[in-house]
Amino acid sequence: MGKGKVYLVGAGPGDPGLFTLRGRELMEQAEVVIYDYLANEELLKLAPPQAEKIYVGKKGGDHTVPQKGINEILVEKGRDHRVVRLKGGDPFVFGRGGEEAQELVAHGIPFEVVPGVTAAVAVPAYAGIPLSHRDYTASMAFVTGHEREDSEDSKIEWEKLATAVGTLVFFMGVKNLPEICANLMSHGRSPETPVAVIRWGTTPEQRTVVGVLEDIAERVREAQLKPPAITVVGEVVRLRSELNWFEARPLYGRSIVITRAREQASDFKAVLADLGAHCIEFPTIEIAPPPSWEPLDASIGRLSVYDWIIFTSVNGVRCFMERLAAAGMDVRDLKGIRVAAIGPATAEALGRQGLKPDLVPREYKAEAVLEGLSGEDLNGRRFLMPRAMVARDILPDTLRQRGAKVDVVPAYQTMLPLARSGEILERLRAGAIDCVTFTSSSTVSNFFSLFNREEILPLLRSVTIASIGPITSRTVEEHGLKIDIQPRDYTIKGLADAIRDHYAGSGK
């Protein structure tokens, strides 16, 4: 017998935040991941880079790999590898997990089942529909809306189901919705029974159509609602008008492009997503080490000569501290040196290292540091500035004009990543992007370098442009666009708040 094992893991209903801790643990240890159409691809990032990833999704009857083929892959890979079979929702709730487990048993391959949050519960909850409520019903049933195509006999006993259960949840029933409604009504369910059909529930693309049994099929057709969707039938659907929380968030339905470096995008993305936005990561900057660590290491080796260290970014703090540790030193070696931080995020990064900055200027730009030092005699003072390899020189140049000695050393460099420009172009042409955000001049310049200017500019003029601050805004304007959103506080939080307020006020 081989050394392999297969884990049938429920990926949950779509929102990656609903993935289980056990699922995460197994994904991080996976050698092979076999995943479905309904499994959020964000979860694939949890797997080791070297893990083999095999897509076997089934979409609208189009099977990338038929079930027989999936079973064969599970057996082949499961003999000698640690396999995660990532299945949308829960593997044992209309997910064919039972069939796949039987196949593994037949071939003597050990397996484990990791339940997932089923769409039957999560999707209605995100649509503001509790499946049970003391004032409405005390019973529920989960039903497939798409039975086996190789069987002529239905396993649904409509005459019993129609009136015996308060809340009915149908999986995969959009195509057969007219027949489902007709069967329920012909077997005694009132035509006025409320119904909700929820597409891509728990994700930013969630859409909900509400009606009653006698008209819901027509409403869904008019709304052009396509699979995948969950259908909820019952009086509890009436509670949606009161309890709809997910779709009521201020940025719900807005598609926002984040051009920030992938390493730094997570905080910004989390804030926007919490406000309901669909965030499209399109990093136009990649943070990389400088060509040589020698200049920074040499400066660290003579730290005692410096009066000030000025940090202009979180990346500068991180890289400086890493090189400090590499030299066998720590924050205690900064004793007697004053520290300045441009921006609260940079100050917070220093705080996490146990350092309280001596200067955090009112405005989050280099010129404000000069204002903060205006009362000091800088003649002969020595400054160290660990920063990006290419950056504005106004601060070091002005300090030198005031008699200071300034060592500007590269702590990191920004590079142009391999970006998915084709995907962004396609979305812009389809009108599927509401807002593009820029958090530095580099993100702007790099963004435009990835596109044909004559092609991209007309598409962007119908999109909201959000800039973190005046310097970035100036660069945007130099490229021929106007700024729609600029926060008072030039911070990520300030930018997110400004985007929220813009849409709340404009209604666009």
Side-chain angles (χ1 to χ4, degrees):
M1 183 179 289
K3 61 179 179 65
K5 185 173 182 178
V6 175
Y7 298 86
L8 302 172
V9 177
D15 181 349
L18 299 178
F19 196 45
T20 64
L21 292 174
R22 177 61 173 157
R24 182 187 185 96
E25 177 187 1
L26 292 172
M27 282 292 290
E28 290 171 347
Q29 301 168 357
E31 296 173 320
V32 179
V33 179
I34 303 170
Y35 65 103
D36 279 349
Y37 171 60
L38 294 179
N40 193 316
E41 291 197 19
E42 282 286 313
L43 300 178
L44 298 180
K45 297 176 183 178
L46 298 173
Q50 69 274 16
E52 183 181 6
K53 301 173 183 70
I54 304 172
Y55 175 62
V56 294
K58 297 186 278 287
K59 179 182 178 182
D62 178 16
H63 293 209
T64 305
V65 181
Q67 188 61 48
K68 184 174 182 293
I70 294 173
N71 293 347
E72 290 171 354
I73 294 171
L74 282 171
V75 170
E76 176 194 347
K77 299 294 183 181
R79 283 196 177 101
D80 297 302
H81 297 91
R82 192 177 180 90
V83 178
V84 169
R85 171 70 172 109
L86 196 61
K87 301 177 70 65
D90 180 278
F92 276 14
V93 179
F94 301 122
R96 296 194 182 180
E99 298 171 39
E100 293 176 2
Q102 285 180 302
E103 191 74 15
L104 295 169
V105 169
H107 288 83
I109 296 172
F111 71 95
E112 179 182 319
V113 179
V114 180
V117 177
T118 174
V121 172
V123 170
Y126 272 54
I129 302 170
L131 296 187
S132 66
H133 190 286
R134 289 191 302 170
D135 295 337
Y136 292 89
T137 185
S139 61
M140 68 189 75
F142 303 160
V143 190
T144 180
H146 183 79
E147 295 188 84
R148 288 181 68 136
E149 295 175 358
D150 59 357
S151 175
E152 295 181 4
D153 298 325
S154 173
K155 290 183 170 56
I156 302 174
E157 298 187 49
W158 292 103
E159 68 280 3
K160 296 178 181 177
L161 182 69
T163 57
V165 180
T167 303
L168 299 171
V169 181
F170 289 89
F171 286 70
M172 304 167 290
V174 174
K175 180 181 177 183
N176 297 327
L177 188 57
E179 291 76 18
I180 290 170
C181 295
N183 274 314
L184 290 173
M185 289 187 289
S186 67
H187 288 93
R189 197 78 172 218
S190 169
E192 296 301 315
T193 303
V195 184
V197 181
I198 309 146
R199 183 176 193 264
W200 281 120
T202 80
T203 75
E205 292 89 357
Q206 177 174 308
R207 284 187 65 202
T208 305
V209 175
V210 176
V212 294
L213 275 178
E214 65 179 355
D215 70 5
I216 189 64
E218 178 62 19
R219 286 174 181 261
V220 166
R221 188 188 67 77
E222 289 175 353
Q224 299 183 342
L225 210 66
K226 305 294 183 185
I230 288 284
T231 300
V232 185
V233 179
E235 295 300 316
V236 291
V237 173
R238 298 187 190 280
L239 290 163
R240 170 174 160 79
S241 59
E242 180 184 350
L243 303 180
N244 178 21
W245 62 275
F246 186 71
E247 296 169 41
R249 295 175 300 163
L251 294 182
Y252 174 76
R254 305 292 181 183
S255 293
I256 299 179
V257 175
I258 299 174
T259 57
R260 212 173 188 214
R262 194 175 299 281
E263 300 92 334
Q264 296 175 307
S266 57
D267 289 348
F268 191 29
K269 179 180 178 181
V271 174
L272 292 175
D274 195 47
L275 293 168
H278 173 207
C279 298
I280 303 162
E281 288 190 65
F282 183 64
T284 59
I285 284 182
E286 187 174 294
I287 306 301
S292 169
W293 289 116
E294 188 176 337
L296 180 56
D297 289 346
S299 295
I300 287 173
R302 57 175 187 274
L303 270 182
S304 60
V305 306
Y306 293 106
D307 300 290
W308 281 90
I309 303 177
I310 299 178
F311 292 99
T312 60
S313 69
V314 171
N315 287 315
V317 174
R318 176 179 58 81
C319 295
F320 178 87
M321 291 301 173
E322 286 175 358
R323 298 312 297 176
L324 191 69
M329 302 163 69
D330 58 33
V331 292
R332 290 173 296 184
D333 292 284
L334 301 181
K335 184 180 179 182
I337 304 173
R338 299 171 76 185
V339 175
I342 297 182
T346 306
E348 287 174 15
L350 287 169
R352 288 192 291 272
Q353 299 291 336
L355 288 171
K356 184 178 179 181
D358 298 278
L359 173 62
V360 181
R362 278 188 305 106
E363 287 192 86
Y364 316 135
K365 55 184 182 179
E367 292 85 338
V369 175
L370 297 170
E371 185 181 327
L373 294 170
S374 60
E376 296 208 17
D377 179 11
L378 301 183
N379 194 42
R381 297 288 183 180
R382 298 208 62 160
F383 286 77
L384 173 62
M385 289 184 61
R387 65 174 198 179
M389 195 163 71
V390 178
R392 297 168 72 230
D393 289 326
I394 185 168
L395 179 56
D397 287 351
T398 308
L399 288 172
R400 290 181 185 118
Q401 289 169 13
R402 291 179 55 183
K405 297 178 180 179
V406 185
D407 290 338
V408 178
V409 295
Y412 61 95
Q413 63 178 320
T414 60
M415 303 177 68
L416 191 66
L418 294 173
R420 311 180 315 278
S421 54
E423 178 187 335
I424 295 298
L425 263 180
E426 187 178 330
R427 286 177 179 270
L428 284 168
R429 289 179 186 136
I433 289 175
D434 296 290
C435 177
V436 176
T437 64
F438 295 107
T439 54
S440 69
S441 290
S442 296
T443 62
V444 180
S445 302
N446 287 4
F447 180 90
F448 278 95
S449 72
L450 294 167
F451 298 95
N452 177 289
R453 180 184 172 82
E454 284 68 33
E455 182 177 20
I456 196 72
L457 268 178
L459 295 172
L460 288 173
R461 288 197 175 107
S462 60
V463 172
T464 298
I465 304 298
S467 162
I468 198 168
I471 295 168
T472 303
S473 296
R474 196 177 308 138
T475 308
V476 171
E477 289 163 352
E478 287 168 358
H479 281 84
L481 289 175
K482 68 179 183 66
I483 298 298
D484 301 292
I485 300 171
Q486 180 181 295
R488 288 194 186 90
D489 293 336
Y490 313 145
T491 64
I492 288 301
K493 183 182 183 304
L495 182 55
D497 289 345
I499 293 170
R500 177 200 61 204
D501 295 343
H502 171 82
Y503 284 109
S506 69
K508 291 180 183 178

